[in-house]
Each structure stands twice: as C-alpha cells, then as structure tokens.
Amino acid sequence: MSPSQRFYRGERLKSRKEFDRLFGRQGRAMSSYPLRLVYIETETPRSSFPFQAAFVVPKRRFKRAVARNLLKRRMREAYRLHKQELLKGDKENARQHALLFIYTGKEAMPYKYIERKMKKLLGQLGQELTKD
C-alpha cells in the first residue's frame, strides 16, 4: 500500500519564528522559474512530519486575491502529489526542514508547467539534503 498523498495540517508551516528565519539570512534557496524554494533545518521539531511547507504569491505582482489563491492552490497540489520523491531520498535523515515556495513569475502559469517546475525543485532539494 502506498503512503498517503494528503497534505496534512501538521505539514503546513505556520510558525512565525520559522518564517522570520526563512526570510532572514539563514534560509538557503534554489529556484526554477517561476518558483523559488527557500528552506532551512528547523531548530526544534514542531511536528511528526519531516517537512513543513508554506506557499507564497506576492501581492505586488498579483493584486487580486483570486489570482493569488489560484496559484497557491496549484503549487500546493503539485507539492502534495510529488512530495513522496522528497521523502524517499530523506529516509535515513531524521532532521526536520521548513520549506517556503515563492511564486516569482510575472503572469499565472498553467498547472502542468508549475507541476513540472515543482518536481524539478523537489528533486534538487532531495539531492541537496542527501549531500549534507
């Protein structure tokens, strides 16, 4: 039986402290246009999940909340479907990480494009974490 593909409440990054660290100088970043990933290892484990993720679309580029929510929904769905690839590479690693996905594109991209870029970012992150 395959593991659940749900995006549980515990997998959502909500800690203001972790957000401050991600936006500060401590976060490490990688990007694949139109997505940018900033990640850090959390100081103290906050949940039973190895990764906690948040999704951000800037209000400066997308004035209407409908457009921002659409893009966040697309990013969340792509993450939910492909997070298993990230978990496979990090089995022996017991550390917990906070992930922040930022949409940097100037216009809304279709879901298939976002999914392909999300898959690429998760693969890069998996390689980066196994290297450390």
Side-chain angles (χ1 to χ4, degrees):
M1 188 171 159
S2 68
S4 174
Q5 288 187 328
R6 279 193 55 198
F7 188 55
Y8 292 95
R9 180 177 286 177
E11 289 181 272
R12 296 176 195 270
L13 180 63
K14 298 180 218 167
S15 168
R16 183 171 296 279
K17 184 178 175 184
E18 295 299 335
F19 272 107
D20 290 342
R21 288 183 59 219
L22 279 164
F23 281 115
R25 300 236 183 263
Q26 297 171 345
R28 294 168 59 188
M30 57 182 64
S31 63
S32 178
Y33 186 83
L35 301 177
R36 178 176 167 83
L37 169 62
V38 181
Y39 66 98
I40 54 169
E41 185 176 340
T42 55
E43 290 176 338
T44 56
R46 297 192 185 315
S47 74
S48 59
F49 297 98
F51 296 98
Q52 288 186 311
F55 304 88
V56 176
V57 178
K59 194 173 186 178
R60 179 180 289 178
R61 292 236 170 94
F62 298 93
K63 304 288 186 209
R64 303 187 69 135
V66 173
R68 291 194 304 274
N69 292 338
L70 173 73
L71 291 169
K72 285 190 277 189
R73 221 173 15 252
R74 287 177 179 173
M75 288 192 296
R76 263 195 316 268
E77 181 68 4
Y79 175 77
R80 181 185 73 81
L81 292 175
H82 298 291
K83 68 182 176 180
Q84 298 306 322
E85 298 169 16
L86 189 58
L87 296 173
K88 278 189 265 183
D90 202 47
K91 284 275 193 229
E92 72 283 344
N93 197 347
R95 299 177 296 181
Q96 188 177 40
H97 291 84
L99 311 175
L100 178 66
F101 293 93
I102 305 169
Y103 191 87
T104 59
K106 289 178 176 47
E107 66 274 340
M109 298 290 186
Y111 171 74
K112 285 290 185 190
Y113 187 77
I114 292 173
E115 181 183 30
R116 188 170 66 234
K117 296 302 183 162
M118 179 68 73
K119 203 172 177 180
K120 182 178 176 185
L121 272 178
L122 292 176
Q124 287 176 354
L125 179 62
Q127 290 176 350
E128 191 72 28
L129 292 178
T130 55
K131 196 167 55 169
D132 289 346

